[in-house]
Coordinates of all heavy atoms in Angstrom, one line a residue:
M1 N -51.8 64.5 186.8 CA -51.0 65.7 187.0 C -49.8 65.6 186.1 O -49.4 64.6 185.7 CB -50.6 65.8 188.5 CG -51.7 66.2 189.4 SD -52.1 67.9 189.2 CE -53.5 68.0 190.2
S2 N -49.3 66.8 185.8 CA -48.1 66.9 184.9 C -46.8 66.4 185.5 O -46.7 66.2 186.7 CB -48.0 68.3 184.5 OG -47.5 69.1 185.6
T3 N -45.9 66.1 184.6 CA -44.6 65.7 185.1 C -43.9 66.8 186.0 O -43.3 66.5 187.0 CB -43.7 65.4 183.9 OG1 -44.3 64.4 183.1 CG2 -42.3 64.9 184.3
A4 N -44.1 68.1 185.6 CA -43.5 69.1 186.4 C -44.1 69.1 187.8 O -43.4 69.3 188.8 CB -43.8 70.5 185.7
F5 N -45.4 68.9 187.9 CA -46.1 68.9 189.2 C -45.5 67.7 190.0 O -45.1 67.9 191.2 CB -47.6 68.7 189.1 CG -48.2 68.4 190.4 CD1 -48.5 69.5 191.3 CD2 -48.6 67.2 190.8 CE1 -49.0 69.3 192.5 CE2 -49.2 66.9 192.0 CZ -49.4 68.0 192.9
Q6 N -45.4 66.5 189.4 CA -44.8 65.4 190.1 C -43.4 65.6 190.6 O -43.0 65.2 191.7 CB -44.9 64.1 189.2 CG -46.3 63.7 188.9 CD -46.4 62.6 187.9 OE1 -45.4 62.1 187.4 NE2 -47.6 62.2 187.6
T7 N -42.6 66.3 189.8 CA -41.2 66.6 190.1 C -41.2 67.6 191.3 O -40.4 67.5 192.2 CB -40.5 67.2 188.9 OG1 -40.5 66.2 187.9 CG2 -39.0 67.6 189.3
A8 N -42.1 68.5 191.3 CA -42.2 69.6 192.3 C -42.5 69.0 193.7 O -42.0 69.4 194.7 CB -43.2 70.6 192.0
V9 N -43.3 68.0 193.8 CA -43.8 67.4 195.1 C -43.1 66.2 195.5 O -43.3 65.7 196.6 CB -45.3 67.2 195.1 CG1 -46.1 68.5 194.9 CG2 -45.8 66.2 194.0
R10 N -42.3 65.5 194.6 CA -41.6 64.3 195.0 C -40.5 64.6 196.0 O -39.8 65.6 195.9 CB -41.1 63.7 193.7 CG -41.0 62.2 193.8 CD -40.6 61.5 192.5 NE -41.7 61.3 191.6 CZ -41.6 61.5 190.3 NH1 -40.5 61.8 189.7 NH2 -42.7 61.2 189.6
T11 N -40.3 63.8 197.0 CA -39.4 64.0 198.1 C -37.9 63.7 197.7 O -37.0 64.3 198.3 CB -39.7 63.2 199.3 OG1 -39.7 61.8 199.0 CG2 -41.1 63.6 199.9
N12 N -37.7 62.9 196.7 CA -36.3 62.5 196.4 C -35.8 63.3 195.2 O -34.9 62.7 194.5 CB -36.2 61.0 196.2 CG -37.1 60.5 195.1 OD1 -38.0 61.3 194.6 ND2 -36.9 59.3 194.6
V13 N -36.2 64.5 195.0 CA -35.7 65.3 193.9 C -34.9 66.4 194.4 O -35.1 67.0 195.4 CB -37.0 65.9 193.1 CG1 -36.6 66.8 192.0 CG2 -37.8 64.8 192.6
Q14 N -33.8 66.7 193.7 CA -32.9 67.8 194.0 C -33.6 69.2 194.1 O -34.5 69.4 193.3 CB -31.7 67.9 193.1 CG -30.8 66.7 193.1 CD -29.8 66.8 192.0 OE1 -29.9 67.4 191.0 NE2 -28.7 66.0 192.2
R15 N -33.1 70.0 194.9 CA -33.7 71.3 195.1 C -33.8 72.1 193.8 O -34.9 72.7 193.5 CB -32.9 72.1 196.1 CG -33.2 73.5 196.3 CD -32.5 74.2 197.4 NE -33.3 74.0 198.6 CZ -33.0 73.2 199.7 NH1 -31.9 72.5 199.7 NH2 -33.8 73.2 200.7
E16 N -32.8 72.1 193.0 CA -32.8 72.9 191.8 C -33.8 72.4 190.8 O -34.4 73.1 190.0 CB -31.4 72.8 191.1 CG -30.3 73.5 191.9 CD -29.7 72.6 193.0 OE1 -29.9 71.3 192.9 OE2 -29.2 73.1 194.0
K17 N -34.0 71.0 190.8 CA -35.0 70.4 189.9 C -36.4 70.8 190.3 O -37.3 71.0 189.5 CB -34.8 68.9 189.8 CG -33.5 68.6 189.0 CD -33.4 67.1 188.7 CE -32.1 66.8 187.9 NZ -32.0 65.5 187.5
R18 N -36.6 70.8 191.6 CA -37.9 71.2 192.1 C -38.2 72.7 191.7 O -39.3 73.0 191.3 CB -38.0 71.1 193.6 CG -38.2 69.7 194.1 CD -38.6 69.8 195.5 NE -38.4 68.5 196.1 CZ -38.9 68.1 197.2 NH1 -39.7 68.9 197.9 NH2 -38.7 66.9 197.7
Y19 N -37.2 73.6 191.9 CA -37.4 75.0 191.5 C -37.8 75.1 190.0 O -38.7 75.8 189.6 CB -36.2 75.8 191.8 CG -36.1 76.2 193.3 CD1 -34.9 76.1 193.9 CD2 -37.2 76.8 193.9 CE1 -34.7 76.6 195.3 CE2 -37.0 77.2 195.3 CZ -35.8 77.1 195.9 OH -35.7 77.5 197.2
A20 N -37.0 74.3 189.2 CA -37.2 74.3 187.8 C -38.6 73.8 187.4 O -39.3 74.4 186.5 CB -36.2 73.5 187.1
A21 N -39.1 72.8 188.1 CA -40.4 72.3 187.9 C -41.5 73.3 188.3 O -42.5 73.4 187.5 CB -40.6 71.0 188.7
I22 N -41.3 74.0 189.4 CA -42.3 75.0 189.7 C -42.3 76.1 188.7 O -43.3 76.6 188.3 CB -42.0 75.5 191.2 CG1 -42.3 74.4 192.2 CG2 -42.8 76.8 191.5 CD1 -41.8 74.7 193.6
D23 N -41.1 76.5 188.2 CA -41.0 77.5 187.2 C -41.7 77.1 185.9 O -42.3 77.9 185.2 CB -39.5 77.9 186.9 CG -38.9 78.6 188.1 OD1 -39.6 79.1 189.0 OD2 -37.6 78.6 188.1
R24 N -41.6 75.8 185.6 CA -42.4 75.3 184.4 C -43.9 75.4 184.6 O -44.6 75.7 183.7 CB -42.0 73.8 184.1 CG -40.6 73.7 183.5 CD -40.3 72.4 182.8 NE -40.5 71.2 183.7 CZ -39.6 70.8 184.6 NH1 -38.4 71.3 184.6 NH2 -39.9 69.7 185.3
L25 N -44.3 75.1 185.8 CA -45.8 75.3 186.1 C -46.2 76.7 185.9 O -47.3 77.0 185.4 CB -46.1 74.8 187.5 CG -45.9 73.3 187.8 CD1 -46.1 73.0 189.3 CD2 -46.9 72.5 187.0
V26 N -45.4 77.6 186.4 CA -45.7 79.1 186.2 C -45.7 79.4 184.7 O -46.6 80.1 184.2 CB -44.6 79.9 187.0 CG1 -44.8 81.4 186.7 CG2 -44.7 79.7 188.5
A27 N -44.7 79.0 184.0 CA -44.6 79.3 182.6 C -45.7 78.8 181.8 O -46.2 79.4 180.8 CB -43.2 78.8 182.0
S28 N -46.3 77.6 182.2 CA -47.4 77.0 181.5 C -48.7 77.6 182.0 O -49.8 77.2 181.5 CB -47.4 75.5 181.6 OG -47.6 75.1 182.9
G29 N -48.7 78.4 183.1 CA -49.9 79.0 183.6 C -50.8 77.9 184.3 O -52.0 78.1 184.5
D30 N -50.2 76.9 184.9 CA -50.9 75.8 185.6 C -51.2 76.3 187.0 O -50.6 75.8 188.0 CB -50.1 74.5 185.5 CG -50.9 73.3 186.0 OD1 -52.0 73.5 186.6 OD2 -50.4 72.2 185.8
R31 N -52.1 77.2 187.2 CA -52.4 77.7 188.5 C -53.0 76.7 189.5 O -52.7 76.7 190.6 CB -53.4 78.9 188.3 CG -52.8 80.1 187.6 CD -53.7 81.2 187.5 NE -54.9 81.0 186.6 CZ -54.9 81.3 185.3 NH1 -53.9 81.7 184.7 NH2 -56.0 81.0 184.6
T32 N -53.8 75.7 189.0 CA -54.3 74.7 189.8 C -53.2 73.9 190.5 O -53.2 73.7 191.7 CB -55.3 73.8 189.1 OG1 -56.3 74.6 188.5 CG2 -55.9 72.7 189.9
S33 N -52.2 73.5 189.7 CA -51.1 72.7 190.3 C -50.3 73.5 191.2 O -49.8 73.0 192.3 CB -50.2 72.2 189.1 OG -50.9 71.2 188.4
L34 N -50.1 74.8 190.9 CA -49.4 75.7 191.8 C -50.1 75.8 193.2 O -49.4 75.7 194.2 CB -49.2 77.0 191.2 CG -48.2 77.1 190.1 CD1 -48.3 78.4 189.3 CD2 -46.8 76.9 190.5
A35 N -51.4 75.9 193.1 CA -52.2 76.0 194.4 C -52.0 74.7 195.2 O -51.9 74.7 196.4 CB -53.6 76.3 194.1
V36 N -52.0 73.5 194.5 CA -51.9 72.2 195.1 C -50.5 72.2 195.8 O -50.3 71.7 196.9 CB -52.1 71.1 194.2 CG1 -51.7 69.7 194.8 CG2 -53.5 71.1 193.7
V37 N -49.4 72.7 195.1 CA -48.1 72.7 195.7 C -48.1 73.5 197.0 O -47.6 73.1 198.0 CB -47.1 73.3 194.7 CG1 -45.7 73.5 195.4 CG2 -46.9 72.3 193.5
V38 N -48.8 74.6 197.0 CA -48.9 75.4 198.2 C -49.5 74.7 199.3 O -49.1 74.7 200.5 CB -49.6 76.8 197.9 CG1 -49.8 77.5 199.2 CG2 -48.8 77.6 196.9
R39 N -50.6 73.9 199.0 CA -51.3 73.2 200.0 C -50.7 71.9 200.5 O -51.1 71.2 201.4 CB -52.7 72.9 199.5 CG -53.6 74.1 199.4 CD -55.0 73.7 198.9 NE -55.9 74.8 199.1 CZ -56.5 75.4 198.1 NH1 -56.2 75.1 196.8 NH2 -57.3 76.4 198.3
T40 N -49.6 71.4 199.8 CA -49.0 70.1 200.1 C -48.2 70.2 201.4 O -47.2 70.8 201.5 CB -48.1 69.7 198.9 OG1 -48.8 69.7 197.7 CG2 -47.4 68.4 199.2
G41 N -48.8 69.5 202.4 CA -48.1 69.4 203.7 C -46.9 68.6 203.6 O -46.8 67.7 202.8
G42 N -45.9 68.9 204.3 CA -44.7 68.1 204.3 C -43.7 68.6 203.3 O -42.5 68.2 203.3
L43 N -44.1 69.5 202.4 CA -43.2 70.1 201.4 C -42.5 71.3 202.1 O -43.2 72.1 202.7 CB -44.0 70.5 200.2 CG -43.3 70.9 198.9 CD1 -42.4 69.7 198.5 CD2 -44.2 71.2 197.8
D44 N -41.3 71.5 201.9 CA -40.5 72.6 202.5 C -41.2 73.9 202.1 O -41.6 74.1 200.9 CB -39.1 72.6 202.0 CG -38.2 71.6 202.7 OD1 -38.7 70.9 203.6 OD2 -37.1 71.4 202.2
G45 N -41.2 74.8 203.0 CA -41.8 76.1 202.8 C -41.3 76.9 201.7 O -42.0 77.7 201.0
E46 N -40.0 76.7 201.4 CA -39.4 77.5 200.3 C -40.0 77.2 198.9 O -40.2 78.0 198.1 CB -37.9 77.2 200.2 CG -37.5 75.8 199.9 CD -36.0 75.5 199.9 OE1 -35.3 76.0 199.1 OE2 -35.6 74.7 200.9
F47 N -40.4 75.9 198.7 CA -41.1 75.5 197.5 C -42.5 76.0 197.5 O -43.0 76.4 196.4 CB -41.0 74.0 197.3 CG -39.6 73.5 197.4 CD1 -39.2 72.6 198.4 CD2 -38.7 73.8 196.4 CE1 -38.0 72.1 198.4 CE2 -37.4 73.3 196.4 CZ -37.0 72.5 197.4
R48 N -43.2 76.0 198.6 CA -44.5 76.5 198.7 C -44.6 78.0 198.5 O -45.5 78.5 197.8 CB -45.1 76.1 200.0 CG -45.2 74.5 200.2 CD -45.5 74.1 201.6 NE -46.9 74.2 201.8 CZ -47.5 73.9 203.0 NH1 -46.7 73.6 204.0 NH2 -48.8 74.0 203.2
R49 N -43.6 78.7 199.0 CA -43.6 80.1 198.8 C -43.3 80.4 197.3 O -43.8 81.4 196.7 CB -42.5 80.8 199.7 CG -43.0 81.0 201.1 CD -42.0 81.8 201.9 NE -40.7 81.1 202.1 CZ -40.5 80.1 203.0 NH1 -41.5 79.8 203.8 NH2 -39.3 79.5 203.1
R50 N -42.4 79.7 196.7 CA -42.1 79.8 195.2 C -43.4 79.6 194.4 O -43.6 80.4 193.5 CB -41.0 78.8 194.8 CG -40.6 78.9 193.4 CD -39.4 79.8 193.2 NE -38.8 79.6 191.9 CZ -37.5 79.6 191.8 NH1 -36.7 79.8 192.8 NH2 -36.9 79.5 190.6
A51 N -44.2 78.7 194.8 CA -45.4 78.4 194.1 C -46.4 79.6 194.3 O -47.1 80.0 193.4 CB -46.1 77.1 194.6
L52 N -46.4 80.2 195.5 CA -47.3 81.4 195.8 C -46.8 82.5 194.9 O -47.7 83.2 194.2 CB -47.1 81.8 197.2 CG -48.0 81.2 198.3 CD1 -47.7 81.7 199.6 CD2 -49.5 81.4 198.0
E53 N -45.5 82.8 194.8 CA -45.0 83.8 193.9 C -45.4 83.6 192.5 O -45.7 84.5 191.7 CB -43.5 84.0 194.1 CG -43.0 84.3 195.5 CD -43.4 85.7 196.0 OE1 -43.5 86.6 195.1 OE2 -43.4 85.9 197.2
G54 N -45.3 82.3 192.1 CA -45.7 81.9 190.7 C -47.1 82.2 190.4 O -47.5 82.6 189.3
L55 N -48.0 81.9 191.4 CA -49.4 82.2 191.2 C -49.6 83.7 190.9 O -50.4 84.0 190.1 CB -50.2 81.8 192.4 CG -50.7 80.3 192.5 CD1 -51.3 80.0 193.9 CD2 -51.7 80.1 191.4
A56 N -48.9 84.5 191.7 CA -49.0 85.9 191.4 C -48.5 86.3 190.0 O -49.2 87.1 189.3 CB -48.3 86.7 192.5
D57 N -47.5 85.7 189.6 CA -46.9 86.0 188.3 C -47.8 85.6 187.1 O -47.7 86.2 186.1 CB -45.5 85.3 188.1 CG -44.5 85.9 189.1 OD1 -44.7 87.0 189.6 OD2 -43.4 85.2 189.2
C58 N -48.6 84.5 187.3 CA -49.4 84.1 186.2 C -50.9 84.4 186.4 O -51.8 83.7 185.9 CB -49.2 82.6 185.9 SG -49.6 81.4 187.2
G59 N -51.2 85.4 187.2 CA -52.6 85.9 187.3 C -53.5 85.0 188.1 O -54.7 84.9 187.8
G60 N -53.0 84.4 189.2 CA -53.8 83.6 190.0 C -54.4 84.3 191.2 O -54.5 83.7 192.3
S61 N -54.9 85.5 191.0 CA -55.5 86.3 192.1 C -56.6 85.5 192.9 O -56.6 85.6 194.1 CB -56.0 87.6 191.6 OG -54.9 88.3 191.1
E62 N -57.5 84.9 192.2 CA -58.6 84.2 192.8 C -58.1 83.1 193.7 O -58.6 82.9 194.8 CB -59.6 83.7 191.8 CG -60.4 84.8 191.1 CD -61.4 84.2 190.1 OE1 -61.8 83.1 190.2 OE2 -61.7 85.0 189.2
L63 N -57.1 82.3 193.2 CA -56.6 81.2 194.0 C -55.8 81.7 195.1 O -55.8 81.1 196.2 CB -55.7 80.3 193.1 CG -56.5 79.3 192.2 CD1 -55.5 78.7 191.2 CD2 -57.2 78.3 193.0
L64 N -55.1 82.8 195.0 CA -54.4 83.4 196.1 C -55.3 83.8 197.2 O -55.0 83.6 198.4 CB -53.5 84.6 195.6 CG -52.3 84.3 194.8 CD1 -51.7 85.5 194.1 CD2 -51.2 83.6 195.7
A65 N -56.5 84.4 196.8 CA -57.5 84.8 197.8 C -58.0 83.6 198.5 O -58.2 83.6 199.8 CB -58.6 85.6 197.1
E66 N -58.2 82.5 197.8 CA -58.7 81.2 198.4 C -57.6 80.7 199.4 O -58.0 80.3 200.5 CB -58.9 80.1 197.4 CG -60.2 80.3 196.6 CD -60.3 79.2 195.5 OE1 -59.8 78.1 195.8 OE2 -61.0 79.5 194.5
L67 N -56.4 80.7 199.0 CA -55.3 80.3 199.9 C -55.2 81.1 201.1 O -54.9 80.6 202.2 CB -54.0 80.2 199.1 CG -53.9 79.2 198.0 CD1 -52.7 79.4 197.1 CD2 -53.8 77.8 198.6
A68 N -55.4 82.4 201.0 CA -55.3 83.3 202.1 C -56.3 83.0 203.2 O -56.1 83.2 204.4 CB -55.5 84.8 201.7
D69 N -57.5 82.4 202.8 CA -58.5 82.0 203.7 C -58.5 80.5 204.1 O -59.3 80.1 204.9 CB -59.9 82.2 203.1 CG -60.2 83.7 202.9 OD1 -59.6 84.5 203.6 OD2 -60.9 84.0 201.9
D70 N -57.5 79.7 203.6 CA -57.4 78.3 203.8 C -56.7 78.0 205.1 O -55.5 78.1 205.2 CB -56.7 77.6 202.6 CG -56.7 76.1 202.7 OD1 -57.0 75.6 203.8 OD2 -56.5 75.5 201.7
T71 N -57.4 77.7 206.2 CA -56.8 77.5 207.5 C -56.0 76.2 207.6 O -55.4 75.9 208.6 CB -57.9 77.5 208.6 OG1 -58.8 76.5 208.3 CG2 -58.5 78.9 208.7
T72 N -56.0 75.4 206.5 CA -55.2 74.1 206.6 C -53.7 74.4 206.2 O -52.9 73.5 206.4 CB -55.8 73.0 205.6 OG1 -55.7 73.5 204.3 CG2 -57.2 72.7 205.9
I73 N -53.4 75.6 205.7 CA -52.0 75.9 205.4 C -51.5 76.8 206.5 O -52.3 77.5 207.2 CB -51.8 76.4 204.0 CG1 -52.5 77.7 203.8 CG2 -52.2 75.4 203.0 CD1 -52.2 78.4 202.5
E74 N -50.2 76.9 206.6 CA -49.6 77.7 207.6 C -49.9 79.2 207.5 O -50.1 79.7 206.4 CB -48.0 77.6 207.6 CG -47.5 76.2 208.1 CD -47.6 75.1 207.0 OE1 -47.9 75.5 205.8 OE2 -47.3 74.0 207.3
R75 N -50.0 79.8 208.7 CA -50.4 81.2 208.7 C -49.5 82.1 207.9 O -50.0 83.0 207.3 CB -50.4 81.6 210.2 CG -51.0 82.9 210.5 CD -51.3 83.1 211.9 NE -50.8 84.4 212.3 CZ -51.1 84.9 213.5 NH1 -51.8 84.2 214.4 NH2 -50.7 86.1 213.8
S76 N -48.2 81.8 207.9 CA -47.3 82.7 207.2 C -47.6 82.6 205.7 O -47.5 83.6 205.0 CB -45.8 82.3 207.5 OG -45.5 81.0 207.0
L77 N -47.9 81.4 205.2 CA -48.3 81.3 203.8 C -49.6 82.0 203.5 O -49.7 82.6 202.4 CB -48.4 79.8 203.4 CG -47.0 79.0 203.4 CD1 -47.3 77.5 203.2 CD2 -46.1 79.5 202.3
R78 N -50.5 81.9 204.4 CA -51.8 82.6 204.2 C -51.6 84.1 204.1 O -52.2 84.8 203.3 CB -52.8 82.3 205.3 CG -53.3 80.8 205.3 CD -54.5 80.6 206.1 NE -54.5 81.2 207.4 CZ -54.1 80.6 208.6 NH1 -53.7 79.3 208.5 NH2 -54.2 81.2 209.7
R79 N -50.7 84.6 205.0 CA -50.4 86.1 205.0 C -49.8 86.5 203.6 O -50.2 87.5 203.1 CB -49.5 86.4 206.1 CG -50.2 86.7 207.4 CD -49.3 87.3 208.4 NE -48.1 86.6 208.6 CZ -47.8 85.9 209.7 NH1 -48.6 85.8 210.7 NH2 -46.7 85.2 209.8
R80 N -48.9 85.7 203.2 CA -48.2 86.0 201.9 C -49.2 85.9 200.7 O -49.2 86.8 199.8 CB -47.0 85.0 201.7 CG -46.2 85.4 200.5 CD -45.6 86.8 200.6 NE -44.8 87.1 199.4 CZ -44.7 88.3 198.9 NH1 -45.3 89.3 199.5 NH2 -44.1 88.5 197.8
A81 N -50.1 84.9 200.8 CA -51.1 84.8 199.7 C -52.0 86.0 199.7 O -52.3 86.6 198.7 CB -51.9 83.5 199.9
E82 N -52.3 86.5 200.9 CA -53.2 87.7 201.0 C -52.4 88.9 200.4 O -53.0 89.7 199.7 CB -53.5 88.0 202.5 CG -54.5 89.1 202.6 CD -54.9 89.3 204.1 OE1 -54.3 88.7 205.0 OE2 -55.9 90.0 204.3
Q83 N -51.2 89.1 200.7 CA -50.4 90.2 200.2 C -50.3 90.1 198.7 O -50.3 91.2 198.0 CB -48.9 90.1 200.7 CG -48.8 90.4 202.2 CD -47.5 90.1 202.7 OE1 -46.6 89.5 202.1 NE2 -47.2 90.6 204.0
L84 N -50.2 88.9 198.1 CA -50.0 88.8 196.6 C -51.4 88.9 195.9 O -51.4 89.1 194.7 CB -49.4 87.5 196.3 CG -47.9 87.3 196.8 CD1 -47.4 85.9 196.7 CD2 -47.0 88.3 196.0
A85 N -52.5 88.6 196.6 CA -53.8 88.5 195.9 C -54.2 89.9 195.3 O -53.8 90.9 195.6 CB -54.8 88.0 196.8

């Protein structure tokens, strides 16, 4: 996985650096890593929602549809994925 992905999911990283890492994933069109961020349990919801928004921004409709049906993630994230798909 990329350095940006590792920064996004590491627990001892400052909030601003995590946001910047997620934004780099969006800018590079790394939809797979963004979907993994959304699925990462234990990661604050704000980062997972940012990754969802990023998926929408970089054309990740298919992954958003998958996430909307993924019962392993929180219901609120599934609803948002469905709205964005």
Side-chain angles (χ1 to χ4, degrees):
M1 290 285 172
S2 70
T3 302
F5 172 78
Q6 292 173 5
T7 301
V9 297
R10 212 175 273 144
T11 57
N12 60 346
V13 175
Q14 295 174 337
R15 172 173 269 108
E16 297 81 22
K17 289 186 179 188
R18 280 195 202 197
Y19 279 134
I22 293 169
D23 291 344
R24 285 195 307 274
L25 292 172
V26 173
S28 68
D30 191 347
R31 294 183 293 270
T32 302
S33 291
L34 288 166
V36 172
V37 170
V38 174
R39 288 184 169 112
T40 301
L43 192 60
D44 286 349
E46 64 187 293
F47 304 115
R48 296 168 81 184
R49 282 187 294 278
R50 180 95 165 217
L52 275 176
E53 301 289 335
L55 272 171
D57 291 344
C58 65
S61 298
E62 290 180 24
L63 282 170
L64 287 166
E66 285 178 29
L67 291 167
D69 293 333
D70 187 344
T71 59
T72 64
I73 63 174
E74 286 83 7
R75 191 166 133 167
S76 63
L77 291 171
R78 291 195 317 263
R79 278 193 304 255
R80 185 64 181 144
E82 184 175 18
Q83 291 169 350
L84 294 168

